[in-house]
Amino acid sequence: MKITSLGVGEVGGRPLALYGDDQGRIGHWDPAEDAPGEARVEAHAEWVRAVRVIDVDGRVLAVTAGGETVRVWDLATLEAVAPPYPTRFWTQALGVGLWKDMPLAIWRSSNNRVTAVDLRTFEPVMKDSADWALAVGFFGVGGEIYAVLEDHPYLQEFDDYDMEETALQVWDFAEGRQIGGGLLGGGFGGTVMRTPLALLEGPGGAVLASGAGPDGSLRLWRLPEGTAVGEARPGSEEIACVAAGTAGGRGYVVTGDTAGAVRLWTVPDGPAPGEADSAAEGVLLHPAGGAGATAVAVAAVDGRPRVLAAFRDGRAEAV
C-alpha cells in the first residue's frame, strides 16, 4: 500500500486524518499514532488523488477523488453519505468551502469541466462549466470561494511565450473576476505547471502556500490581497506535496519533496502596521535521500504540530 493523499479534521475535539491509497481505499490515521490504521474501505476503482475535509453543521465530512468518481464520507465512521458522483475523467483539482453559508465541494476534471455540489443536499449547484480550465485549486475563505489558476501565456500565444510572465492568479469563483495581480510562480523557467497548493486559515488570516519548480521553493501569499509573506523559502528538490494547519495558536505549512525531505514551516501571524511581512521559519523533519514524498498533513496534538508523511516506497510515519 502507498498512501497518495491525506486530509485532517477534528472529531470529538480530537484530530483525525483520512488517507487514500494507490489501490483506491481510504482509512483512518490517528495523528497521535506513528503509523496509519490497518482498517480500510474500498472507495474508488483507482488510486485516491485527493482528500478534503469540511465541517457541515457539526458533522465532519471527507470528500475524496479517485478514478472517475468523487465521493463523500462521514469522517468519523467512514460511511458513505451520498452516492458516488461520476466524473468520467480524472479529477485534477478538488476543493471544499463555504459560499454564502452553503457548504460546497468543487472539482475540475481532466476534460477541464468543473462541478460544484451542495454538501447539505448533495445536489449539483453547477455542472460541467468550462470557465475554469486553468484552475489548480479551489478554497473557501471567509464565506467566499476562490479559484487559483495557472496563467500560462503560451496557451494563448505560443510564439510570444515569456516564461517569466507565468504566474498564479486568484479569482472570485462566484463572480468570475480576478482578485489583485498575478502571484509569481517561480517554477522551471518561471512556469508553475500544476503546482501543489494549500490554504492556511491561521491567526493572521488566510495564507496561500505554493510549491513550484525544481528549486524546491515554498512561496506564501496573504489572501485576498495577494501580498507575499516574505521572500521565497528555498529547499533542495521539487516540492511534491504541501499541506497547512494550526496548532497552539500558530499557523504551519508542511512540504514534502521528490527526494523525501519533509519540512515544517512556521507562518508569521502578520506584519505590524507599516512593516513588511517576515519570512516563514522552517525546520527539516525528515532528511532527503530516500523515496520521494507522496502526501503530507499537519495536525494539532496536545497543542503542538504533528506532521504525517507518506513516501513512494510505501512508508508512512509521523515525523
Side-chain angles (χ1 to χ4, degrees):
M1 178 193 76
K2 296 179 184 178
I3 290 179
T4 53
S5 52
L6 283 163
V8 176
E10 188 173 288
V11 176
R14 294 177 57 85
L16 183 63
L18 179 73
Y19 68 81
D21 70 17
D22 59 347
Q23 299 179 45
R25 302 173 301 187
I26 60 173
H28 282 145
W29 188 344
D30 181 345
E33 301 293 331
D34 292 335
E38 293 297 326
R40 305 180 188 101
V41 173
E42 301 291 336
H44 298 277
E46 299 182 61
W47 63 287
V48 183
R49 296 174 67 90
V51 174
R52 300 290 182 264
V53 177
I54 183 172
D55 187 311
V56 179
D57 304 326
R59 186 184 193 186
V60 186
L61 302 180
V63 183
T64 62
E68 297 181 357
T69 57
V70 168
R71 303 196 67 178
V72 184
W73 313 84
D74 185 304
L75 178 61
T77 64
L78 295 187
E79 294 179 353
V81 298
Y85 294 95
T87 62
R88 304 190 303 277
F89 297 88
W90 290 99
T91 299
Q92 299 288 356
L94 175 68
V96 295
L98 288 175
W99 176 65
K100 311 300 184 185
D101 199 40
M102 181 189 299
L104 296 181
I106 308 170
W107 62 86
R108 178 179 70 83
S109 300
S110 57
N111 65 341
N112 287 328
R113 300 290 175 169
V114 173
T115 299
V117 169
D118 184 336
L119 289 173
R120 285 197 181 99
T121 65
F122 306 109
E123 295 293 330
V125 296
M126 182 186 73
K127 189 174 182 180
D128 288 345
S129 168
D131 294 337
W132 302 98
L134 301 180
V136 289
F138 301 101
F139 301 99
V141 179
E144 303 295 338
I145 300 292
Y146 294 160
V148 179
L149 279 61
E150 289 179 353
D151 172 30
H152 294 295
Y154 67 86
L155 292 178
Q156 287 104 20
E157 300 180 40
F158 186 82
D159 292 340
D160 297 326
Y161 175 43
D162 182 351
M163 290 185 290
E164 295 305 319
E165 293 180 2
T166 304
L168 295 174
Q169 298 177 353
V170 179
W171 286 64
D172 184 300
F173 182 72
E175 296 185 8
R177 63 177 178 85
Q178 185 176 353
I179 301 171
L183 312 178
L184 177 65
F188 181 74
T191 64
V192 181
M193 298 305 289
R194 294 179 186 160
T195 178
L197 297 171
L199 182 77
L200 170 67
E201 292 193 90
V207 173
L208 180 68
S210 160
D215 61 352
S217 292
L218 172 71
R219 287 169 170 81
L220 305 175
W221 297 274
R222 298 202 180 274
L223 297 183
E225 57 269 30
T227 55
V229 180
E231 300 295 327
R233 268 63 63 192
S236 55
E237 299 290 338
E238 182 177 359
I239 292 175
C241 44
V242 60
T246 60
R250 301 297 302 270
Y252 297 92
V253 171
V254 58
T255 59
D257 70 23
T258 54
V262 176
R263 291 178 171 83
L264 180 68
W265 307 85
T266 304
V267 180
D269 291 343
E275 295 184 359
D277 222 323
S278 57
E281 298 179 2
V283 59
L284 181 67
L285 298 181
H286 189 279
T294 56
V296 291
V298 58
V301 176
D302 297 327
R304 303 184 64 177
R306 176 80 159 170
V307 172
L308 311 180
F311 303 90
R312 290 190 179 277
D313 60 4
R315 289 178 300 117
E317 55 192 68
V319 296

